[in-house]
Amino acid sequence: MIYVHTPFCASKCIYCDFNTYVGREEMIDDYTAALVKEIRARSDSRLKISTIYFGGGNPLKLGVVNLSRIMRTVRKYYSVDKNVEISLEANPEDVNTSLLTECSDLGFNRLSLGIQSFDDKKLIFLRRRHTAKEAVSAYNVALEAGFDNVNIDLIFGLPGQSVEEWRRELKQVVALEPSHVSAYGLSVEPGTPLYAAIKKGNISIPDEENQARMMEITHNYLSGVYHHYEISNFARCGFECRHNLNYWLGRDYLGFGAGAYSCLNNRRFCNIFKPESYIRAIFNGGDAIAATETLTKEIRLAESIFLGLRLVDGFRVTDIEEKFHCDLRKRYELVIERLSAGNLLEADKVWRLTDRGRLVADAVMSEFV
Amino acid sequence: MIKESLIRNFSIIAHIDHGKSTLADRLLESTHTISNRDMKAQVLDSMDLERERGITIKAQAVRIQYDAKDGRTYTMNLIDTPGHVDFTYEVSRSLAACEGALLVVDAAQGVEAQTVANVYLALENDLAIIPVINKIDLPSADPKRVTKEIEDGLGVSAENALMVSAKTGLGVVDVLEAIIKHIPPPAGDPDSGLRALIFDSMYDQYRGVIVFIRVVDGHIKPGMKIKMLATGKVSEVEEVGVLSPGMQPADELAAGEVGYLITGIKALTETKVGDTITEAGQQVRALPGYEEVKPMVYCGLYPIDGGQYPELREALDKLILNDPALSFQPETSTALGFGFRCGFLGLLHLEIVKERLEREYQLELLATAPSVAYRVRLNNNETKVISNPSEFPNPGSFTQIEEPFIRANILTPPDFVGSIMKLCQDRRGELEDMQYLSEKRVQINYNLPLGEIVMDFYDQLKSNTKGYASLDYEYIGYRATNLVKLDILLSGEPIDAFSAIVSSDKAYNRGKALTEKLREIIPRQMFEIAIQAAIGGKIIARETIKAKRKDVTSKCYGGDISRKRKLLAKQKAGKKRMKQVGSVSVPQEAFLAVLKVSE
């Protein structure tokens, strides 16, 4: 699986702590050239690629020509599977039928729309660049352009949002019948304007109880329509995001571009974050690796458990035990006893979070790291 | 040998911040005992802790040579004393080594409780007292009022009180002259058998025990075989000398002189403060006033990281070399793991020991609620002494419990009399008497259980009186009272570290207050937590901490799984810093809250 990062955006959203930069358009062609060089330099035709994901930032900022160069390079230097899933992240204000048709022609077969909300006031607050109306039409444009696998991203737990308001958002998204919905709770990350505003006391987010209720109705409401397959992700059967599933199943991945993470042969490493430094490093003929971590058996075991628990179906104990040659039940005897007694974890042949456990997943997962 | 008529031994009595150390510095400076170059503020307080807290913990002595106006050169020994109720015994022994004392009182603040207590100790030791009113340069100085307080409150004539500003140096020479004039020279017999009083000792890792002594009769010199009367320890003198202020070896120390002594002794437990040193083989009467020091306050000390238990033991072993008043024995708590039950002279001593362990030995410690030693009369008429709530006998297995009482002496501006009386009543106090020392100063005496004092009484007194009241106390013995054991249960499990022995009248309110406080302090967790208070198995109060409702980062973190793993690890570490008690994680503040809860 391959991830390609685009660190450019037209503007920064209030909550965003991703590796993205505003107003660096002049760098785009150099960046693309660096990407192509990196993809080629790290080529390994033995690697079977079944998913490719273009994320950001805003990948469409690169332009179709650049996207096409990157896509050609990937196909040339890797064994791309016939049934490959190729996702493209896009913002509603950027899409139109001809652009998306071109993308579809390049091989993109899954579109992830960053809609976030169907409430204009909330969109303004979040510093998004589209309206609710534009969001709906972007979705329809995607269908017209031939995308039958479209994800809609939504965020709940916004400042001032009531449980009722969030219920309305859910109704609206279901009415559009997308094949996939990601419903994320707003997370307040240090360094963002959102964080600063909350810290200053200018705004406040819903309290724990209301956030919990929003999560509960999300799960209840969307589960009736979709397959709830991961804490925040819902899909029509067969439309689960295979790329993200691979992360949760602990598979290897290649990340290209500034700040992109790769995981290969028990090593995880990330590239230099600043695009200009990344470009320089690649053109100086080396790699752009900023940091490497060796994943010990202990680390991989811990990750397998907490990533596996994100999946609604959990994981089979024997799978993990065979992979790591350990007695999972014995190792975590006291922990699972307590978690099961508290109705947070089902720990039979399959370990999975209960509905209640999913709401406090971090607390549960932290018991295993 | 110095003629006794040319020796003056004195100490300084003062309340904290009334200028004792500054005055001492001036005396050393104006007699050139210390060159300006070596002068650092408060020479006598050599421990970092002493400088920071502005208190004297260890006694110190320094020899001063003074060319007096009568043309003669006098040798003065200033014996600095610890200034806290915890060290009353040490103070009394330091005073016993002197013939007189300077009574330093702040010209604006007036007489404080600590001054009262130490003046009484000085009077008991027949010391000549020279009142010194300090800080008279302050605009708020009121020497007239303070003079009256000294006379009425302490019964000391202050007609000729010296007016001094240690800060500016004003009147310092008068102090030196007054010492010669009003403090009698020592009156020992240099020709009779050796008798020397140990007023302090310290452990030096290179030289062993260094004993600070006042020679009362006879003399002491290297090579002499000496005996400690109380401990029976016999050893040979290796070195004697004077403190000026560094250790200066001398040929001998004779009657009236103050100095140090080094023998082959390696343990402070063999050189007890107040003991008499004699020449081995000679029969002399012991000097009066020796007592065995007993701990008055106890608490459990536990390493927060259980793995530090061996380090804690080692640190205590080392600390006791320098502080024989400290006692400890291993103890196990179901909530806190392995630790030590430690005995202290008082609360300040407890705090100092804990701080030194943390600072000098890099330990992170948790101290349980301080308690006192209770005497339990069992049904079979045996008496059992308990200092830990876990030892509290089952109801019905004893006939009576006694607890130590103190007589508190509180000095305060009149405005706060009401709130002080309320505080003392709340703490089961009995008013003994009350007296106006001046229109600005009232002296109140209460009899109180010591167990009530060790529970943040002093903090409460200070906050109720905006810091104006001062407190001192003396032990007045044991009294039978009605006590019960109050237990706290978390999710059904009794937590021994929260248990306390309390008065039955107050148990209910305290249990309620404690459960409420714990509900505030213990964070929400994955499971609901029941907090209960119980007396003798009967639940008297309950609070509930609801289970955490939401704790999940739902956003997709893509390939940056390492970051998520580290965040989870951090979350787990945060939990680890708390004490795991069954399925409940209890933050450290919770264990401290037990001390602060008011009924």
Side-chain angles (χ1 to χ4, degrees), chain A residues 134-199:
Chain A
E134 283 168 324
V136 173
S137 83
Y139 175 73
N140 290 325
V141 161
L143 296 186
E144 277 164 39
F147 280 93
D148 64 346
N149 188 356
V150 180
N151 167 56
I152 290 179
D153 268 353
L154 289 179
I155 303 179
F156 65 86
L158 303 176
Q161 190 173 45
S162 68
V163 175
E164 259 332 292
E165 280 177 305
W166 172 241
R167 198 191 299 275
R168 277 203 292 279
E169 302 249 2
L170 288 172
K171 273 189 187 153
Q172 272 170 285
V173 76
V174 167
L176 291 178
E177 298 181 0
S179 59
H180 192 285
V181 178
S182 296
Y184 300 121
L186 178 68
S187 67
V188 182
E189 301 290 344
T192 61
L194 177 66
Y195 183 88
I198 289 175
K199 202 135 200 224

Side-chain angles (χ1 to χ4, degrees), chain B residues 465-501:
Chain B
T465 62
K466 300 189 178 136
Y468 280 115
S470 58
L471 162 77
D472 211 306
Y473 56 83
E474 57 179 334
Y475 301 105
I476 54 173
Y478 276 79
R479 287 189 194 175
T481 51
N482 216 343
L483 296 169
V484 294
K485 183 181 171 211
L486 176 70
D487 287 313
I488 297 291
L489 296 82
L490 291 184
S491 293
E493 265 186 74
I495 309 303
D496 53 6
F498 287 140
S499 295
I501 297 170

Side-chain angles (χ1 to χ4, degrees), chain A residues 53-64:
Chain A
Y53 195 103
F54 281 67
N58 182 357
L60 286 175
K61 273 254 159 200
L62 298 180
V64 175

Side-chain angles (χ1 to χ4, degrees), chain A residues 17 184-185 187 189 208-209 211-213 215-216 232 247 253 261 268 293 299 303 306 310 338 342 344 359-364 366-367 369, chain B residues 524 526-528 547-566 568-572 575 580 582-584:
Chain A
D17 74 329
Y184 300 121
S187 67
E189 301 290 344
E208 188 182 324
E209 179 57 35
Q211 286 188 42
R213 283 175 57 205
M215 237 181 127
E216 277 169 348
S232 318
Y247 287 129
Y253 45 93
Y261 280 82
R268 180 174 296 131
E293 182 185 32
I299 289 178
E303 289 185 352
F306 81 71
R310 289 196 68 100
R338 272 192 308 120
L344 298 174
L359 265 59
V360 292
D362 282 2
V364 175
S366 74
E367 297 282 328
V369 296
Chain B
R524 288 174 111 187
M526 281 188 287
F527 312 107
E528 183 174 292
K548 217 183 234 178
R549 277 284 275 147
K550 178 181 172 283
D551 178 11
V552 54
T553 320
S554 54
K555 78 166 184 182
C556 179
Y557 29 79
D560 191 2
I561 292 161
S562 300
R563 173 154 176 260
K564 181 64 191 172
R565 191 189 72 239
K566 282 167 194 161
L568 290 172
K570 205 170 145 194
Q571 182 167 358
K572 190 180 184 180
K575 220 176 123 175
Q580 298 304 310
S583 60
V584 184

Side-chain angles (χ1 to χ4, degrees), chain B residues 15-324:
Chain B
H15 188 74
I16 185 167
D17 287 340
H18 281 199
K20 177 174 77 166
S21 301
T22 313
L23 178 60
D25 287 353
R26 287 298 157 273
L27 295 178
L28 301 189
E29 249 174 24
S30 63
T31 54
H32 311 290
T33 307
I34 287 185
S35 67
N36 282 334
R37 192 167 49 83
D38 294 335
M39 196 74 205
K40 47 185 173 180
Q42 302 174 6
V43 173
L44 291 178
D45 293 341
S46 58
M47 276 167 73
D48 283 350
L49 263 176
E50 292 183 318
R51 282 220 185 83
E52 277 169 34
R53 291 177 171 237
I55 51 167
T56 304
I57 299 164
K58 296 288 285 180
Q60 291 271 354
V62 60
R63 169 185 277 218
I64 300 168
Q65 299 287 352
Y66 175 57
D67 299 324
K69 288 182 178 164
D70 63 8
R72 286 185 282 193
T73 299
Y74 289 85
T75 298
M76 296 179 174
N77 290 299
L78 163 56
I79 299 177
D80 195 20
T81 57
H84 192 274
V85 56
D86 284 6
F87 308 103
T88 301
Y89 173 70
E90 283 79 355
V91 179
S92 84
R93 292 308 85 204
S94 291
L95 292 174
C98 303
E99 279 75 30
L102 301 176
L103 165 61
V104 177
V105 182
D106 184 305
Q109 307 267 316
V111 170
E112 300 283 3
Q114 204 179 72
T115 334
V116 180
N118 287 348
V119 166
Y120 289 151
L121 280 177
L123 291 173
E124 275 170 33
N125 283 291
D126 294 326
L127 262 56
I129 291 174
I130 302 172
V132 175
I133 299 181
N134 189 25
K135 306 194 191 178
I136 58 156
D137 56 312
L138 289 181
S140 54
D142 187 355
K144 236 174 115 184
R145 191 194 94 226
V146 173
T147 305
K148 184 172 157 38
E149 285 180 15
I150 294 174
E151 297 200 322
D152 294 359
L154 306 172
V156 172
S157 162
E159 215 176 328
N160 301 317
L162 301 170
M163 300 296 156
V164 170
S165 168
K167 202 174 101 193
T168 65
L170 177 76
V172 170
V173 174
D174 298 341
V175 173
L176 290 162
E177 289 295 323
I179 291 169
I180 291 165
K181 195 167 158 206
H182 298 299
I183 296 178
D189 180 355
D191 299 320
S192 74
L194 169 68
R195 287 204 298 171
L197 172 71
I198 301 180
F199 63 84
D200 196 16
S201 57
M202 60 176 256
Y203 179 80
D204 180 281
Q205 65 178 122
Y206 303 107
R207 313 219 52 186
V209 172
I210 300 169
V211 188
F212 299 100
I213 55 169
R214 154 71 195 272
V215 182
V216 176
D217 296 317
H219 26 145
I220 184 166
K221 59 185 173 196
M224 196 182 226
K225 274 233 183 301
I226 55 165
K227 181 181 179 185
M228 317 283 161
L229 282 188
T231 63
K233 179 75 182 174
V234 175
S235 61
E236 193 180 303
V237 179
E238 287 174 6
E239 183 180 317
V240 294
V242 297
L243 301 140
S244 60
M247 294 202 295
Q248 206 95 58
D251 294 338
E252 64 162 23
L253 291 175
E257 286 193 88
V258 171
Y260 70 91
L261 158 73
I262 294 171
T263 70
I265 294 177
K266 299 282 180 222
L268 283 180
T269 45
E270 289 171 335
T271 58
K272 294 194 165 166
V273 170
D275 199 356
T276 308
I277 300 175
T278 67
E279 191 165 359
Q282 291 214 6
Q283 289 297 319
V284 295
R285 229 157 29 93
L287 295 163
Y290 174 76
E291 281 171 31
E292 279 285 335
V293 187
K294 281 197 206 78
M296 295 304 295
V297 175
Y298 297 83
C299 84
L301 287 181
Y302 291 84
I304 284 163
D305 169 5
Q308 281 195 329
Y309 176 77
E311 281 103 307
L312 175 57
R313 171 184 284 276
E314 210 172 293
L316 283 167
D317 278 334
K318 276 191 192 152
L319 213 55
I320 206 169
L321 288 177
N322 244 318
D323 186 358

Side-chain angles (χ1 to χ4, degrees), chain B residues 297-553:
Chain B
V297 175
Y298 297 83
C299 84
L301 287 181
Y302 291 84
I304 284 163
D305 169 5
Q308 281 195 329
Y309 176 77
E311 281 103 307
L312 175 57
R313 171 184 284 276
E314 210 172 293
L316 283 167
D317 278 334
K318 276 191 192 152
L319 213 55
I320 206 169
L321 288 177
N322 244 318
D323 186 358
L326 171 70
S327 68
F328 62 93
Q329 60 184 59
E331 169 182 90
T332 321
S333 152
T334 47
L336 304 176
F338 293 104
F340 293 93
R341 191 84 193 156
C342 302
F344 308 92
L345 296 175
L347 271 188
L348 178 72
H349 189 211
L350 185 162
E351 268 178 54
I352 290 166
V353 168
K354 179 165 181 266
E355 206 167 320
R356 288 189 66 188
L357 287 169
E358 294 189 314
R359 199 185 283 210
E360 294 168 29
Y361 298 91
Q362 284 85 48
L363 296 164
E364 266 193 283
L365 298 177
L366 211 154
T368 62
S371 83
V372 298
Y374 299 94
R375 287 186 192 155
V376 185
R377 178 87 47 83
L378 297 171
N379 287 345
N380 61 11
N381 245 343
E382 251 176 63
T383 301
K384 191 177 154 195
V385 177
I386 60 169
S387 65
N388 188 337
S390 68
E391 302 165 320
F392 197 84
N394 292 324
S397 69
F398 60 91
T399 52
Q400 173 174 296
I401 300 188
E402 295 174 341
E403 60 180 320
F405 269 67
I406 55 110
R407 177 174 181 273
N409 183 34
I410 300 167
L411 266 70
T412 175
D415 299 354
F416 304 113
V417 168
S419 57
I420 290 174
M421 291 181 73
K422 180 172 184 312
L423 174 66
C424 291
Q425 305 290 3
D426 287 349
R427 301 300 180 103
R428 297 186 283 144
E430 279 169 20
L431 180 65
E432 195 182 276
D433 62 50
M434 185 160 82
Q435 186 194 350
Y436 275 75
L437 301 185
S438 68
E439 71 280 10
K440 292 207 166 166
R441 209 121 203 99
V442 185
Q443 175 169 268
I444 311 172
N445 291 118
Y446 261 93
N447 293 339
L448 286 149
L450 176 62
E452 297 283 349
I453 299 282
V454 301
M455 288 284 192
D456 84 328
F457 179 85
Y458 190 65
D459 290 347
Q460 288 294 320
L461 179 69
K462 282 284 170 194
S463 68
N464 278 330
T465 62
K466 300 189 178 136
Y468 280 115
S470 58
L471 162 77
D472 211 306
Y473 56 83
E474 57 179 334
Y475 301 105
I476 54 173
Y478 276 79
R479 287 189 194 175
T481 51
N482 216 343
L483 296 169
V484 294
K485 183 181 171 211
L486 176 70
D487 287 313
I488 297 291
L489 296 82
L490 291 184
S491 293
E493 265 186 74
I495 309 303
D496 53 6
F498 287 140
S499 295
I501 297 170
V502 294
S503 152
S504 63
D505 300 343
K506 299 165 76 176
Y508 177 79
N509 285 338
R510 188 178 165 77
K512 215 167 138 44
L514 203 51
T515 50
E516 278 166 17
K517 186 86 187 168
L518 288 173
R519 191 201 56 210
E520 286 165 26
I521 292 175
I522 298 175
R524 288 174 111 187
Q525 298 177 20
M526 281 188 287
F527 312 107
E528 183 174 292
I529 303 164
I531 307 169
Q532 295 166 305
I535 300 168
K538 190 173 158 249
I539 304 293
I540 55 150
R542 180 193 161 109
E543 293 285 338
T544 307
I545 298 175
K546 290 240 180 302
K548 217 183 234 178
R549 277 284 275 147
K550 178 181 172 283
D551 178 11
V552 54
T553 320

